[in-house]
Amino acid sequence: MELLAAALSAACALDQDGSAGQPGRTPPAAAEETPAGTAEPPPAHPMTADSWRNLIEHIGLLYQEYRDKSTREEIETRRLQDSQTNPEETSPSEETPSEAEPTSTTENKAPPQISLLRNSNSRFNLWQDLPEIRNSGVLSILQPDEIKLQEAMFELVTSEASYYKSLNLLVSHFMENERLKKILHPSEAHILFSNVLDVMAVSERFLLDLEQRVEENIVISDVCDIVYQHTVNHFSVYITYVSNQTYQERAYKQLLQDKPAFREVISQLELDPKCKGLSFSSFLILPFQRITRLKLLVQNILKKVEEKSDRESTALDAHKELETVVKACNEGVRKMSRTEQMISIQKKLEFKIKSVPIISHSRWLLKQGELQQMNGPKTSRTLRTKKLFREIYLFLFNDLLVICRQIPGDKYQVFDSAPRGLLRVEELEDQGQSLANVFILRLLENADDREASYMLKASSQSEMKRWMISLAPNRRTKFVSFTSRLVDCPQIQCVHPYVAQQPDELSLELADVLNILDKTDDGWIFGERLHDQERGWFPSSMGEEILNPKIRAQNLKECFRVHKSDDSQRRKLGSRNRQ
């Protein structure tokens, strides 16, 4: 902390010089003469409001571009770290490729203009690249870990500016377009844009407070306290917007299909150079992407602050509140789609047994699909396969299994059911082609209050494992979850985004890191994402396995630190969100 105080003092000395208020000034070398042992520095504003606003106004990347470049740089950094022959020489916590690059000195080139993210073909400028920082002398005083922390906080601020710029374009270029206003009925416009004006106002207020903090001193004291206050008091607008996502997507598709004039105007607006080739839909999903990314940025700060410090405590509080908002957003989206799905399923079921009420506010679908049920004893394997098995259809909910046979008219006749907690599965050894991918499903107590067993055949190994894990989620997987505190576990980094196609699958974002809990020979992985502990299946082609054991261990260590304050609560809630 003494070194940090010295850096602040150096910044103060810089501000007290007469040229401090001039844009593009060259700070005097006297700033470096401030003694390292000086006491609490007086209030300082070495980065003037004009200088900071100039930086913000010249951000060239829209948030979609920034987010893509940032995550791809994370991927490349991990690839570099994973390939290190001596991982100890490279700190795995470094998440920005340019942090590993040597910083150019002011003697080698003149200070460039402040133009963060201006050139979409180059890497981002860093906090340490700003002329005010390079000329202040603080880089020679601060420890490397503190510089990395400054970079993490600076990224949160500048990314919010990029996000606000994209939100402003969504409103001014699309929402307020006069041609579009004439085409859309007010109710259609409301569904399409929801409360985006509230979201933008919240972002503006948030950015202004972050801006004020940066203007206080070029060495940023903290930003997580601001994140905490805004999350608690203002970020509920994100829940409203994101919860509308299901209706928003449906309305957009319907408008494209039913209103040629709408389709034409949107296409023309997308071609405007302001949009940089980005689609209208990429602007609509900005709030959901931002609130999720903001949580990850706070995680990145949390990994870099001193342990057991005030800044760690503040970061943990901010992260906890952001997790609450993100969970509420996810639940809002799921609730909308689940209700409609349950109503649709209820209409398709006809009960041969005692009817079971399907629709419940606490019930949702986990997996559905066709399997082959074996007819007769195992000794019948000499029969032809099509006679040995017959089709059945399963609807698996979070608390109930319904076993059916499909009947004409897109209907399903229910002939058995059981609570999900009373299901057990057992994999059979490979007994030839006709019995490949076969497993035993036992209902400890079925619809007739007795035990029942079914020998079921899946279409592939991955489908068999997916059913077995869904039917019996507490069954031990091939690899142990990181929540068991295993020292090492296979890990994978997402290098291609993936959108879940079925309820038991997991959507992936670029640079997600996951523990591998199970894998199949036909290209599927059952994984658990480190930053939120969500579980699901995804194609193995979406990621690259992390081979360096020290990098894997570092990833787990950072994850434990991020979640240490609410780990027990997560374990209680995890079973609901992981399946």
Side-chain angles (χ1 to χ4, degrees), residues 72-108:
R72 291 191 183 281
E73 286 193 350
E74 287 183 37
I75 290 171
E76 292 304 321
T77 300
R78 291 199 187 103
R79 282 174 173 165
L80 178 63
Q81 294 167 349
D82 198 32
S83 65
Q84 294 290 327
T85 54
N86 185 4
E88 292 179 336
E89 296 179 0
T90 303
S91 172
S93 62
E94 295 179 12
E95 296 199 1
T96 309
S98 46
E99 291 178 7
E101 301 170 4
T103 305
S104 300
T105 60
T106 53
E107 289 80 2
N108 293 335

Side-chain angles (χ1 to χ4, degrees), residues 74 137 251 270 289 291 400 408 474-475 562:
E74 287 183 37
E270 288 176 336
Q289 291 180 332
I291 195 66
L400 176 71
N474 295 324
R475 178 177 174 271
V562 166

Side-chain angles (χ1 to χ4, degrees), residues 382-429:
T382 54
L383 300 176
R384 288 183 298 171
T385 302
K386 66 178 182 179
K387 292 184 178 180
L388 182 59
F389 294 96
R390 63 180 299 186
E391 294 80 8
I392 63 171
Y393 202 92
L394 272 58
F395 289 95
L396 178 65
F397 305 98
N398 61 306
D399 61 346
L400 176 71
L401 171 66
V402 175
I403 306 177
C404 321
R405 288 193 178 90
Q406 192 164 8
I407 57 178
D410 194 25
K411 298 281 188 178
Y412 299 89
Q413 186 180 68
V414 181
F415 65 88
D416 209 350
S417 66
R420 187 180 178 219
L422 297 179
L423 303 178
R424 300 292 184 269
V425 294
E426 176 187 348
E427 183 177 355
L428 290 185
E429 296 294 332

Side-chain angles (χ1 to χ4, degrees), residues 428-540:
L428 290 185
E429 296 294 332
D430 189 359
Q431 301 182 40
Q433 185 61 36
S434 63
L435 291 180
N437 306 319
V438 172
F439 66 98
I440 303 294
L441 170 63
R442 287 197 300 127
L443 284 54
L444 300 184
E445 186 177 306
N446 72 350
D448 296 327
D449 297 325
R450 61 182 177 81
E451 183 172 330
S453 294
Y454 295 89
M455 183 177 289
L456 303 176
K457 179 180 174 66
S459 59
S460 64
Q461 183 195 44
S462 59
E463 189 65 10
M464 178 189 70
K465 287 198 171 186
R466 288 170 66 164
W467 270 112
M468 292 178 70
I469 288 177
S470 295
L471 289 163
N474 295 324
R475 178 177 174 271
R476 182 183 177 91
T477 56
K478 183 176 181 179
F479 305 106
V480 182
S481 163
F482 84 89
T483 51
S484 68
R485 298 300 191 266
L486 191 68
V487 175
D488 194 16
C489 179
Q491 290 178 4
I492 192 169
Q493 173 182 219
C494 174
V495 296
H496 302 291
Y498 180 70
V499 178
Q501 304 298 311
Q502 297 184 32
D504 66 335
E505 294 180 6
L506 183 64
S507 292
L508 301 178
E509 299 285 351
L510 286 173
D512 278 350
V513 176
L514 305 97
N515 275 348
I516 299 174
L517 305 184
D518 211 334
K519 60 171 62 175
T520 68
D521 296 335
D522 53 352
W524 285 84
I525 288 176
F526 183 56
E528 183 172 66
R529 188 162 44 215
L530 294 190
H531 77 74
D532 61 6
Q533 298 178 18
E534 290 277 345
R535 290 182 176 183
W537 289 91
F538 55 90
S540 58

Side-chain angles (χ1 to χ4, degrees), residues 212-232:
Q212 183 178 357
R213 176 63 54 83
V214 173
E215 289 174 2
E216 288 175 2
N217 207 301
I218 54 177
V219 179
I220 306 170
S221 59
D222 199 0
V223 293
C224 288
D225 57 330
I226 299 175
V227 174
Y228 173 82
Q229 292 296 333
H230 280 261
T231 305
V232 171

Side-chain angles (χ1 to χ4, degrees), residues 160 163-164 167 194-195 198-200 202-204 206 230-231 234-244 285-292 294 322 325-326 328-330 333:
E160 186 67 27
Y163 166 64
Y164 178 76
L167 275 183
S194 189
N195 64 327
D198 296 334
V199 174
M200 189 169 75
V202 164
S203 175
E204 181 178 17
F206 182 42
H230 280 261
T231 305
H234 306 299
F235 282 5
S236 60
V237 297
Y238 281 95
I239 301 173
T240 303
Y241 186 93
V242 175
S243 296
N244 182 57
I285 62 173
L286 283 170
F288 181 65
Q289 291 180 332
R290 179 55 183 171
I291 195 66
T292 305
L294 192 58
L322 280 170
V325 173
V326 171
C329 288
N330 288 331
V333 173

